[in-house]
Amino acid sequence: MKKDCNFYIKLFSSTFVISAFTFGGGGVIIPLIKKKFVNELHLIDENEIMDMIAIAQSAPGVMAVNTSAIIGFRLAGIQGLILTILGTVTPPLIILSIISVFYNSFQSNEIINLVFRGMQSGIVTIMLDVTIDMINIILKEKKKISILLIPIALYLTIFTDINIFFIMLICFIVGCIYAVFTNYKKSKEEAQS
Amino acid sequence: MIYLQLIKEFFLIGAFSFGGGYACLPFIQKIVIDKYNWMTAFDFTNVITISQITPGPIGINIATFLDMQLGGLIGAICTTISYVFPSSIIIIILAKLYFKYRNLCTMQCILDCMKPAVVALIGSSTVTLLCNAFWNNEKIILNETNFIAVSISIICFIIMKIIKIDPIKIILLSGFLGFILYKII
């Protein structure tokens, strides 16, 4: 895609719409970002987005903002990063500014509550779809270490209260050990041949 | 004065809170309730509730809503900027490193081990939300399943599998279905 005016508008509007319609934290927004940029716009490929989300998660701050930021940076440099961050933070700014004024009537409105309850089911469906999709991506690569770590990481996040950051850290350390091991094996093979 | 304090505190939270929106909650709570006495614990609970039921990233929502209460719109804008600034810089550095070294064996090995954590983050959010939607976050009992929620999910899933559709349209559709089905039954 050419980097004309339309491209930048697309970048901003995609993140803006996702942020404006997604309820919940990074775990909910990231699947939608993946679906939009990989499956719909075809701007980033499947394996790359997994790497990028992993990087976004290992930085401090808000995960959804970090993920949009790295995608913007990859597609259009610093300008892209600024645009996608703006796209992600503007909807909450607008929506919450309005809501903080009409806070009580908003909370007790029946129609809004019913629509929200329905939307919950829709979001769950999309997230389930993306989770299965991501597991498939990893399975397709056929790397034993990744496949082995999925159930362990899933178990730790679902059944224990360990902060996701520590799980990332453990995975990072395992990755370092694995890298040393692989490099050692490689150099040994090279020496033999 | 309150602007400067907000900017400073959220800058620090943005730079040092790892693990996403929920992980930064305890930090914000300490600052707002214990350190500056800006709010009571009850008001703070309301801030969290509102941040959860409105769209957008939780961390940003909390920051915005809190600042709207404390410092108005200008406060909210300034705080949001100072909140996302440190992590943006870190992201730029990490992204540059990644695009430069991603073909290195060492980098690939580390990323191969970190991808499962991405799946775990999204998988665990899925499980939490699914239990919340289908069983109201209580015990998982078949008789107490919210069948309206389950059927909306199934309808959405079938539509998603048949046609390629924008996820936002699925969310809007499910909101519409929710309004009709919950209203009738």
Side-chain angles (χ1 to χ4, degrees), chain B residues 74-113:
Chain B
I74 298 165
I77 294 171
C78 295
T79 316
T80 307
I81 294 170
S82 76
Y83 189 20
V84 299
F85 185 72
S87 56
S88 313
I89 302 295
I90 293 169
I91 283 289
I92 293 175
I93 296 167
L94 288 177
K96 281 209 162 137
L97 286 175
Y98 165 67
F99 293 127
K100 201 168 171 193
Y101 296 112
R102 65 171 148 180
N103 292 323
L104 275 187
C105 172
T106 312
M107 184 77 163
Q108 267 314 316
C109 290
I110 294 173
L111 281 169
D112 279 339
C113 293

Side-chain angles (χ1 to χ4, degrees), chain B residues 30-58:
Chain B
K30 256 211 188 92
I31 289 160
V32 173
I33 300 172
D34 303 332
K35 196 170 167 192
Y36 292 106
N37 289 316
W38 281 329
M39 270 186 182
T40 61
F42 178 76
D43 287 332
F44 188 69
T45 318
N46 279 339
V47 171
I48 298 171
T49 319
I50 286 286
S51 309
Q52 275 171 328
I53 61 165
T54 45
I58 301 261

Side-chain angles (χ1 to χ4, degrees), chain A residues 51-97:
Chain A
D51 290 346
M52 282 157 74
I53 298 171
I55 292 166
Q57 259 183 282
S58 38
V62 186
M63 261 182 236
V65 176
N66 291 352
T67 311
S68 327
I70 195 168
I71 287 174
F73 187 73
R74 153 78 172 73
L75 295 173
I78 304 276
Q79 295 114 299
L81 175 127
I82 294 171
L83 272 181
T84 46
I85 289 182
L86 275 180
T88 315
V89 301
T90 337
L93 264 174
I94 299 170
I95 294 167
L96 281 149
S97 311

